[in-house]
Amino acid sequence: MCGIIGIASNKPVSINIINSLKKLEYRGYDSAGLATLNQNEINEKKCSGRVEELEKILFKNPSDGNLGIGHVRWATHGIPNQINAHPHSSEIVSVVHNGIIENSDELKKNLELKGSKFKSQTDTEVITLLITDELKKNNPVKSVFNTLKQLKGSFALGIIFKSYQNIIIGARRGSPLAVGYSKDENYLGSDSYALKSMTNKISYLDDGDLCVLSKDKIDFYNNEEKKINKKVYTLSDDENISDKGDYKNFMSKEIFEQPITAKNCINEYIDSLKKDINIYNFPVKPEDMNKIVLIGCGTAFHSCLIAKYWFEELTNIEVEIDIASEFRYRKLKFNSKNLYIFVSQSGETADTAAALDICKKNNMKTCSIVNAVESTIARNSDWVLPIHAGPEIGVASTKAFLGQMIVLFILSLKLAKIRKDIDLPSYDKHIKNLKVLPIAIEKCLKTENKVQSMAKEFLDAKGSMFLGRGLSYPIALEGALKLKELSYLHAEGYPAGEMKHGPLALIEEGLPVIVIAPKDKYFEKTLSNMQEVIARGGKILFISDHKKELIDENIRFSIKVPSLDKLLSPILLTVPIQLLAYHVAILKNCDIDKPRNLAKSVTVE
Ligand code: F6R
């Protein structure tokens, strides 16, 4: 996590650094800082808290200089205070860093033995002091290369030098880094999104690369210190839609955008004329496919879990799912007829990217389902299926989750058709249902007022529980995750049938229990599990596509979503649980777009 920006220009850069840092705040918001070069001095300013605070400091005391670096932090080593904020500067060099230096303790001891003094508790400061030492005998590029050789871990760096007024050096190992090109100005950034307001011409550093930026050129080197060329990408305009509009925050905008997200995604993949799915060139021949392995983290993992039910229901292929941080360290049995699918909104999640690397090293065929198509995960996969959701800024994933589910459903349907695991009338019926899905999602959004009333039930709650079976079980997990991350209220998601094996002990008078029960083959069973909760005093909040009259009088609130094909129910049931987490967080006055301790793009292990 953490966000890096660097600008080399022929005019003052601090305002543009601040504006770019605001865009990078989704990566971390514990502290912020910048350093510019002016009249042979490194001018460093930093603070704990948000970029807004840094902006106030600059307003009172501006930073001049046509070249500079900036940073927003998600704390790993050392508490989020001003001293630990980046940049970390010595007399002659200033560094911003994203990632973790795993051998920082050892490097620190060696430096201290040589007389170096540390100001902060961070791992980053070792980089500053190592480069400072190297600069006594080498030029900046050689000094950085020599320093990189001593570092273990994953990182992206931005570095400026007091005695080299016109260059910024960037380096990447593991954590993402992009550069942008413009007239008389060049940029370094953790992602292309931060650079978009300044340029649409972007290149990406690969692992081990180093770049040297000045206002009128960028040179690239690979890890063998040889000069290399980089492909220049032109970013599409549609990804520039990153304004809150009339919404109070990005999350509500992103929730309410979901009918459009669904429509765009479905239009991309469904050929209306042929009534068929536009997915071709499978890296593993569908007829020969042995197994599908779906991998992701957090919310993206929940979409993998839902997809497991879909692939199993629609195809005869064996399916396995895994959390990326577990997958990457397991002893795995690979098979060249397996398809490995990586699901990620950002395409930069460190664990998911590492899991993908392991598959590639073992010559497996890989597919990524991503929102950010220029991301590391997308670039490293054999096959990419974008979700076309547009930028997702709110830290809690909403529309991207919906997009992931739609792409995974469409993929399972296409595979089923090619393999003849599904008959044509059923296939056509599913395509028809997909076409009306955006309207059904629109109707789900109309539950907002009711959900808002339901949210009040959580204000005095000690905790809460989300229950579902089958396809609603992952939605229960997702509901609990959303509530936890946004409202800081403890929540558990469980398969309803598991309650009696332990969690039932948590039920006490008035505990909010959200029962997610569409009228599918599990409906009656879920109702029985619900009765067990009612008998122990749990307060039931019921979400279903079924008519209210049939439901128990002990239900405190019930929310009805439209009834569509049972396989699509998780997509519709997701909307009220997103709204619920959102409204509980609003009532508790929490920061909706930037929940505490979190960041949008998790580029550290
Ligand atoms: C929760 C959330 C996270 C992400 C997870 C993976 O609302 O957003 O759990 O889903 O960090 O991120 P991506 O999808 O970018 O790989």
Side-chain angles (χ1 to χ4, degrees), residues 127-360:
I127 308 173
T128 308
L129 296 176
L130 286 172
I131 300 175
T132 303
D133 199 37
E134 284 288 335
L135 282 167
K136 289 177 194 153
K137 38 197 191 284
N138 291 308
N139 66 26
V141 173
K142 191 71 194 157
S143 298
V144 175
F145 268 125
N146 285 351
T147 301
L148 296 182
K149 282 181 200 145
Q150 302 177 60
L151 304 179
K152 288 193 186 136
S154 68
F155 49 81
L157 303 172
I159 310 154
I160 56 172
F161 308 85
K162 179 180 163 177
S163 306
Y164 300 85
Q165 292 274 305
N166 55 351
I167 59 163
I168 302 175
I169 291 188
R172 171 190 176 161
R173 194 193 293 160
S175 304
L177 202 57
V179 297
Y181 309 82
S182 184
K183 195 175 169 336
D184 298 325
E185 206 166 81
N186 287 316
Y187 318 97
L188 184 71
S190 289
D191 63 21
S192 52
Y193 170 65
L195 308 180
K196 261 175 194 158
S197 60
M198 301 182 287
T199 180
N200 66 348
K201 297 272 179 263
I202 301 282
S203 294
Y204 297 96
L205 272 74
D206 289 311
D207 260 0
D209 288 351
L210 178 147
C211 65
V212 184
L213 268 98
S214 58
K215 67 179 170 39
D216 35 38
K217 72 170 183 157
I218 308 179
D219 290 327
F220 296 94
Y221 299 82
N222 64 13
N223 59 357
E224 285 158 7
E225 304 182 27
K226 299 229 167 66
K227 266 202 175 178
I228 50 168
N229 291 322
K230 283 273 154 193
K231 187 170 167 188
V232 181
Y233 295 84
T234 303
L235 300 176
S236 51
D237 289 345
D238 58 322
E239 297 198 13
N240 252 331
I241 322 157
S242 46
D243 205 303
K244 278 206 287 263
D246 290 336
Y247 290 93
K248 269 202 222 147
N249 42 58
F250 279 105
M251 186 183 176
S252 58
K253 176 181 178 247
E254 287 156 7
I255 291 177
F256 279 87
E257 239 166 50
Q258 291 181 114
I260 301 168
T261 311
K263 203 169 174 182
N264 289 346
C265 184
I266 292 164
N267 286 347
E268 285 290 334
Y269 287 102
I270 308 277
D271 183 330
S272 289
L273 282 178
K274 289 198 223 144
K275 298 197 184 91
D276 203 356
I277 293 170
N278 291 322
I279 296 184
Y280 308 101
N281 304 324
F282 283 79
V284 179
K285 206 166 168 233
E287 295 86 335
D288 299 341
M289 212 174 270
N290 172 58
K291 193 182 348 177
I292 290 176
V293 185
L294 293 142
I295 299 148
C297 298
T299 289
F301 172 72
H302 295 158
S303 63
C304 297
L305 186 47
I306 294 166
K308 180 176 162 71
Y309 287 85
W310 282 331
F311 282 114
E312 284 177 351
E313 190 68 34
L314 293 169
T315 78
N316 292 322
I317 311 173
E318 193 187 333
V319 191
E320 209 179 284
I321 50 167
D322 221 325
I323 292 175
S325 55
E326 291 297 315
F327 178 90
R328 64 183 288 192
Y329 293 112
R330 290 203 1 246
K331 188 176 163 206
L332 300 158
K333 317 262 174 318
F334 290 105
N335 179 324
S336 58
K337 289 188 177 162
N338 288 356
L339 177 62
Y340 291 83
I341 303 180
F342 298 85
V343 183
S344 174
Q345 186 285 128
S346 62
E348 300 294 352
T349 301
D351 286 318
T352 313
L356 168 68
D357 278 353
I358 289 166
C359 292
K360 286 190 72 81

Side-chain angles (χ1 to χ4, degrees), residues 297-300 343-349 352 377 392 395-397 404 478 481-482 485 599-602:
C297 298
T299 289
V343 183
S344 174
Q345 186 285 128
S346 62
E348 300 294 352
T349 301
T352 313
I377 291 175
E392 186 180 69
V395 163
S397 188
Q404 290 160 0
E478 178 61 7
L481 177 64
K482 284 278 117 48
E485 67 175 327
K600 182 83 183 149
S601 190
V602 187

Side-chain angles (χ1 to χ4, degrees), residues 258-264 266-267 402 406 432-445 564 571-572:
Q258 291 181 114
I260 301 168
T261 311
K263 203 169 174 182
N264 289 346
I266 292 164
N267 286 347
L402 189 111
I406 292 174
K432 258 195 192 154
N433 284 334
L434 275 169
K435 288 196 185 144
V436 293
L437 184 65
I439 301 168
I441 296 170
E442 188 94 56
K443 288 187 185 148
C444 293
L445 290 167
L564 202 61
I571 299 178
L572 301 180

Side-chain angles (χ1 to χ4, degrees), residues 1-2 25-29 74 395 595 597-602:
M1 288 111 103
C2 299
E25 260 194 323
Y26 76 90
R27 301 178 70 89
Y29 32 82
W74 183 82
V395 163
N597 305 338
L598 299 180
K600 182 83 183 149
S601 190
V602 187

